[in-house]
Amino acid sequence: MNSLTVSTSKDLENILNHLDAVVYVSDIDTYELLYMNQYAIANIAGEADFTRIKGKRCYQVLQKNQSGPCSFCTNGKLPDNGDSYVWEFKNTRNNRWYQCHDRLITWHDNRLVRLEVAADITERKEAEEALQHAQEQLKWLADTDGLTHLYNRRAFYKNAEKLRLSLPTNTLLGLVLLDIDYFKKVNDTYGHEAGDKVLEAIGFTLKTFTSETTIVARTGGEEFAIFLPIKSKKNAKAFAQQIRGAIGKIRVPYYKDVLSCTASAGMSTGYTSIQISSLMRDADRALYRAKASGRDSLCEG
């Protein structure tokens, strides 16, 4: 090797060691690390120089508690035409995110090796995750009643319709509307703080009935709706009475008093061909009859 070649090699190594990016080379068959720049040595391997790493496998140095090839190793995915394979992952040793450009190259001894150049994209990924979290929060706020943490009226219609369309044809559906009896009296007697605590307790109770196929929402001040597929009208009626019974058992301590409530309910049923709005109208009429007949009861539409 002449002096010009040595000088060029040292200059190249100097350049690579001053890159703010991970650069390393490993054998694709044995996974032996053949080269690693100073940035990778310091920021991932946690060593001072390559002599402490030489001879080790890439997965031993680059990943945490890894005793064999990584499940996400790209060796089998690298194009044989010299193009890069671009991917992103979170390193297990330093928990930093990297965008990796991997490609096959021929080493000086003619063996096939993997060259990886990886840029730290942690700040970008954290910003993306923060944005995604913010979007999820906005969606939650748009769909959720802030007091009871149940769906709001808009989300109820949206999710009930989504469920209806996902069910097999001729599935029997049930819709139950609930109205808390004499709720205004609670607010007038104890104040709105007490009323909110009662509503929170009702929301907590109704939340236990929620599932992938049971949509529960607060649709108004003291009004709630439940939509679900049912086996029969008898089954729907039993379910509605079970919910009314659960509400009737609620006890809310409020200073020296203990608050309780009952609920009137209207129920309607129909097959998947019927619109949610039609079920709502029928259940609403049934609810009106339940309230007109003395409350604390269930009427069927």
Side-chain angles (χ1 to χ4, degrees):
M1 183 179 294
N2 58 43
S3 59
L4 180 61
T5 303
V6 171
S7 177
T8 302
S9 176
K10 288 184 176 179
D11 286 342
L12 178 58
E13 185 171 0
N14 188 41
I15 291 170
L16 292 174
N17 281 334
H18 284 82
L19 284 177
D20 288 333
V22 172
V23 181
Y24 77 89
V25 177
S26 62
D27 188 295
I28 64 167
D29 293 320
T30 66
Y31 303 96
E32 179 189 358
L33 268 176
L34 303 173
Y35 172 79
M36 180 175 278
N37 72 339
Q38 194 58 43
Y39 180 91
I41 293 170
N43 287 279
I44 297 183
E47 298 289 353
D49 56 64
F50 191 64
T51 57
R52 302 285 299 271
I53 300 168
K54 191 175 181 180
K56 291 188 177 182
R57 304 296 180 257
C58 57
Y59 52 79
Q60 295 174 318
V61 176
L62 294 167
Q63 304 302 324
K64 185 178 181 180
N65 301 325
Q66 190 73 30
S67 59
C70 304
S71 60
F72 48 82
C73 180
T74 62
N75 281 356
K77 302 176 182 179
L78 302 182
D80 56 11
N81 61 359
D83 289 345
S84 292
Y85 178 82
V86 182
W87 61 298
E88 297 178 359
F89 87 116
K90 191 174 186 180
N91 185 271
T92 58
R93 188 171 289 280
N94 63 7
N95 291 318
R96 304 288 293 180
W97 276 96
Y98 293 90
Q99 184 182 72
C100 309
H101 292 252
D102 297 358
R103 69 172 62 204
L104 291 173
I105 63 171
T106 303
W107 203 233
H108 60 80
D109 57 5
N110 290 322
R111 63 173 134 171
L112 210 55
V113 298
R114 179 183 70 200
L115 166 66
E116 179 168 284
V117 180
D120 191 320
I121 58 169
T122 303
E123 290 184 4
R124 192 200 84 192
K125 294 296 288 189
E126 288 176 348
E128 290 175 354
E129 290 173 355
L131 178 60
Q132 182 180 357
H133 178 70
Q135 290 172 335
E136 290 171 352
Q137 282 293 102
L138 286 173
K139 183 179 181 300
W140 185 87
L141 289 171
D143 288 350
T144 307
D145 173 63
L147 186 62
T148 63
H149 291 184
L150 299 171
Y151 282 133
N152 56 28
R153 188 179 186 88
R154 185 189 71 86
F156 176 77
Y157 274 99
K158 181 181 71 175
N159 287 283
E161 180 66 3
K162 182 179 178 182
L163 175 60
R164 181 182 75 88
L165 294 175
S166 72
L167 295 169
T169 305
N170 292 328
T171 299
L172 189 60
L173 306 172
L175 196 152
V176 180
L177 291 183
L178 297 165
D179 187 279
I180 306 307
D181 297 326
Y182 305 108
F183 184 75
K184 185 176 182 298
K185 186 176 180 180
V186 175
N187 285 332
D188 291 344
T189 305
Y190 300 98
H192 285 85
E193 180 187 53
D196 285 351
K197 289 187 177 297
V198 171
L199 290 173
E200 286 176 351
I202 293 169
F204 181 82
T205 297
L206 292 182
K207 194 81 172 176
T208 63
F209 291 91
T210 302
S211 71
E212 290 183 359
T213 55
T214 304
I215 311 298
V216 183
R218 181 188 178 195
T219 53
E222 63 268 21
E223 296 177 354
F224 300 86
I226 303 99
F227 176 76
L228 73 163
I230 56 174
K231 295 179 180 179
S232 65
K233 287 188 177 182
K234 182 179 179 181
N235 175 255
K237 186 175 181 180
F239 178 76
Q241 294 289 34
Q242 181 186 2
I243 291 175
R244 286 201 330 102
I247 291 174
K249 292 177 182 178
I250 292 173
R251 298 294 182 269
V252 180
Y254 188 71
Y255 295 101
K256 295 181 179 180
D257 295 297
V258 177
L259 309 179
S260 62
C261 59
T262 59
S264 300
M267 185 191 81
S268 63
T269 58
Y271 291 95
T272 46
S273 57
I274 196 170
Q275 297 295 312
I276 302 297
S277 56
S278 296
L279 287 172
M280 285 288 282
R281 282 194 298 270
D282 290 344
D284 196 49
R285 293 189 189 102
L287 174 60
Y288 180 80
R289 293 199 304 273
K291 292 166 67 175
S293 64
R295 293 181 167 83
D296 191 17
S297 61
L298 167 69
C299 286
E300 300 178 52

